[in-house]
Amino acid sequence: MRTRQERPTDSTPAPLPSPPPAPRWAVRAAQLTTLIVLPTGLWRLAMVCGFPSGYTAAGFVPFETPGAKLWMLALSVACELLALLTLGLVRPWGETVPRWVPVIGGRRVRPLAAVVPAAAGALALTAIWAAMPLWWTYPHADMTPAGRLLVGVIYQPLVLWGPLLGAVTVSYYRRTRPTHRED
C-alpha cells in the first residue's frame, strides 16, 4: 500500500539556514570591546573602596553614601555588561536565543532586533567618547600628575568602543540578513 507523502503547506516556513560564522576580525573586535571597558570599571571600583585613584587629597571626594557607591558600582557593571553584549553579535547565542531562556528560548533572533539597538549604541558611544582625546589639553588641578596620566591612559581606549561596536554590528547584519530566494 502506498503512503501519501505530506507536503509542507504554504503557511509552514522552511527552516532558514544558519548564517556563516563571524569573521575572525569581528570576533577579535568584539573581544577587544569587552577589554577596553574593564580598566575604567576597575578604576571606579577602587574609588568606591576608598582609594583616591589618582586624585589629590583635596580633589578626592569619597563615595560615603550608599547611593553614591551603588551608582558607581551599577555604572561599572552596566558598562561591562553592555560591552559583553557585543559578543552576542559574533556568537551563536546572538543568532538563536539559548534554550534556557524562558518563553523565547530556542527562537531565532531577528537580525534587526539586534542590529538596531547595537547600531544606536555604536552611534551614542561614538558621540559620548569623541571628545576624550581632549583630556590631555585641559588642566586637572584635582589630580596628581600620575593620576592624570593614569586616567587619560585608561579612558582613551573608550574612543574605540563605538566604532568597534559599529563594525561588529555591520558584520552581524551582513551575516544574518535575510537572503532573497527565487522560488
Side-chain angles (χ1 to χ4, degrees), residues 63-145:
F63 299 100
E64 294 175 355
T65 66
K69 287 183 180 188
L70 183 62
W71 164 249
M72 275 300 178
L73 289 171
L75 179 62
S76 297
V77 170
C79 286
E80 195 60 40
L81 288 176
L82 288 170
L84 286 168
L85 280 177
T86 307
L87 293 174
L89 299 173
V90 296
R91 298 280 187 251
W93 55 268
E95 298 159 9
T96 304
V97 179
R99 294 214 177 271
W100 57 264
V101 175
V103 182
I104 61 170
R107 292 186 184 177
R108 295 284 303 253
V109 174
R110 292 182 183 209
L112 290 181
V115 169
V116 170
L123 290 172
L125 289 166
T126 301
I128 289 168
W129 296 110
M132 191 61 212
L134 298 176
W135 169 264
W136 306 108
T137 63
Y138 294 104
H140 300 278
D142 57 346
M143 302 194 87
T144 65

